[in-house]
Amino acid sequence: MNLTRRHAALLAAALGASFLSPAVAADFPDRPVRLIHPNPGGVIDTMSRVLADALKSVWSQPVVVEPKPGASEIIAIEAVTKSKPDGLTWFFGTETGLVNNSFLFRKLPYDPAGDLVPVSELFAVNYALIVHGDSPARTLADLVAIAKKDPGKLRFSSLGTGSGTHLAMEIFQRVTGTQGMTHVPYKAPAQMVQDLLGGQIDIVIGALGLATPFVPSGKMRVLAVTGNERQRALPNVPTFAESGYPGMDYRTLIGLAVARGTPADTVQKIHAAVRQVLSKPEMQEKYLDPNGYQLVVSDPAAFAQTLAARRQQTKRLFEELKIEPQ
């Protein structure tokens, strides 16, 4: 069969296209992505929007941020697990939803270990212990003395029973011998910040970024941070270990997951794009250091291993703290 040069070129193009994998033949994403998270008004909200905006430089499709707060991240995760497993709906949240809820609730509308596909641990987050700028506690030792003198007087916030912020304060009370503080749970970090500024609560423990906007004006004071070293944004604030409490070293993780059944090549595409934008040098200086975040961006397999290890650690921690499932 004789072919003209034009026909040969067309045939070659057709044959080449027929051997392309679906991942290559169809660009991902071909529609807008939904990035669902559980914490409006906090650092997670900020970082989700930073990530969404940065991905515009990689993809032609927008990433739309959808906060769905409440119920220990269950509402946000359920929206993801019920979505079509096409990689276009993401969960951006903490180990509260990815790990802790397994031991906090007798029944869940999702299986943290089975209904979500890990994409990447994005950040490791050291915690800061924050008080109002007018608090009589100028140091961590002051706070411990006040708490011991009048057990039950101090009120601390959390993002719900069994959340990382709650567990951190329970550990703090245990290692400092200050049991009896009043626990006040909240749905969103912004509410915690507002009530700390208003005097309705005495202590907030969470990401450093909750405090850094208010420290220069004196409206908030950070007494200590978890981790092995001081935070770059507040180098004068000691670690808990420096302050005499090395046992207070709790930290949380923030990760990305999609619905079960999402194709493996799609998961890898998401991870590659996220790694590309978060690894840019300006991210560290502008967003990570001020919030006390450590960049991780692990691959899906490594993140799955991390979550499995954290489930074992959290199970032991719940047993030690005698936190019973609800």
Side-chain angles (χ1 to χ4, degrees):
M1 178 176 64
N2 294 323
L3 293 174
T4 67
R5 184 173 299 177
R6 178 173 179 272
H7 287 156
L10 289 173
L11 178 60
L15 289 172
S18 69
F19 287 103
L20 288 176
S21 69
V24 175
D27 290 338
F28 175 86
D30 59 355
R31 284 165 289 158
V33 172
R34 300 167 63 204
L35 194 164
I36 297 175
H37 75 78
N39 295 129
V43 180
I44 286 180
D45 188 56
T46 299
M47 291 307 301
S48 67
R49 296 179 192 280
V50 169
L51 175 60
D53 187 62
L55 285 169
K56 291 179 182 178
S57 65
V58 179
W59 291 332
S60 59
Q61 296 291 337
V63 177
V64 181
V65 176
E66 295 185 23
K68 291 184 179 293
S72 297
E73 304 191 3
I74 293 173
I75 295 172
I77 290 183
E78 191 174 11
V80 176
T81 58
K82 289 184 175 180
S83 68
K84 185 178 180 180
D86 54 11
L88 296 175
T89 304
W90 305 352
F91 172 71
F92 183 100
T94 75
E95 63 192 71
T96 295
L98 295 169
V99 175
N100 299 3
N101 284 348
S102 298
F103 311 102
L104 182 60
F105 297 100
R106 297 185 189 278
K107 292 184 178 181
L108 283 172
Y110 70 96
D111 175 9
D115 289 342
L116 289 168
V117 176
V119 176
S120 179
E121 179 186 356
L122 303 179
F123 315 108
V125 186
N126 287 313
Y127 277 159
L129 193 147
I130 309 161
V131 297
H132 192 279
D134 292 333
S135 170
R138 310 292 300 183
T139 65
L140 192 61
D142 292 341
L143 185 69
V144 171
I146 293 169
K148 288 183 175 179
K149 182 178 180 181
D150 195 354
K153 179 181 179 180
L154 294 179
R155 301 152 295 178
F156 72 89
S157 66
S158 83
L159 292 173
T161 300
S163 66
T165 49
H166 176 226
L167 295 179
M169 279 305 299
E170 292 294 341
I171 295 171
F172 173 76
Q173 291 182 86
R174 185 177 63 175
V175 301
T176 59
T178 55
Q179 284 86 353
M181 293 185 190
T182 301
H183 176 207
V184 185
Y186 287 81
K187 290 184 178 180
Q191 297 172 327
M192 298 192 308
V193 170
Q194 182 178 356
D195 280 4
L196 180 64
L197 292 171
Q200 284 78 32
I201 53 175
D202 302 293
I203 302 168
V204 166
I205 193 163
L208 192 66
L210 297 177
T212 46
F214 304 98
V215 169
S217 65
K219 293 181 179 179
M220 287 187 184
R221 183 181 307 126
V222 179
L223 301 185
V225 295
T226 62
N228 298 324
E229 57 186 27
R230 299 186 180 195
Q231 296 297 309
R232 294 179 185 176
L234 294 176
N236 294 327
V237 175
T239 65
F240 280 96
E242 288 179 284
S243 301
Y245 299 102
M248 178 56 197
D249 194 29
Y250 190 85
R251 67 200 71 188
T252 192
L253 63 81
I254 294 176
L256 194 65
V258 292
R260 178 180 61 183
T262 301
D265 61 340
T266 299
V267 173
Q268 291 293 344
K269 283 177 178 287
I270 297 170
H271 171 259
V274 169
R275 184 178 186 85
Q276 178 181 337
V277 298
L278 290 182
S279 299
K280 293 181 178 179
E282 59 266 28
M283 284 287 179
Q284 187 74 42
E285 182 177 351
K286 190 173 182 180
Y287 298 107
L288 303 185
D289 286 348
N291 290 312
Y293 280 21
Q294 177 184 346
L295 186 66
V296 179
V297 202
S298 58
D299 63 38
F303 188 29
Q305 292 176 351
T306 296
L307 290 176
R310 291 303 288 257
R311 289 188 183 102
Q312 294 300 318
Q313 295 168 3
T314 300
K315 181 181 180 181
R316 291 194 298 269
L317 183 57
F318 269 57
E319 291 171 351
E320 293 172 4
L321 296 174
K322 295 181 172 57
I323 299 176
E324 296 291 334
Q326 303 173 12

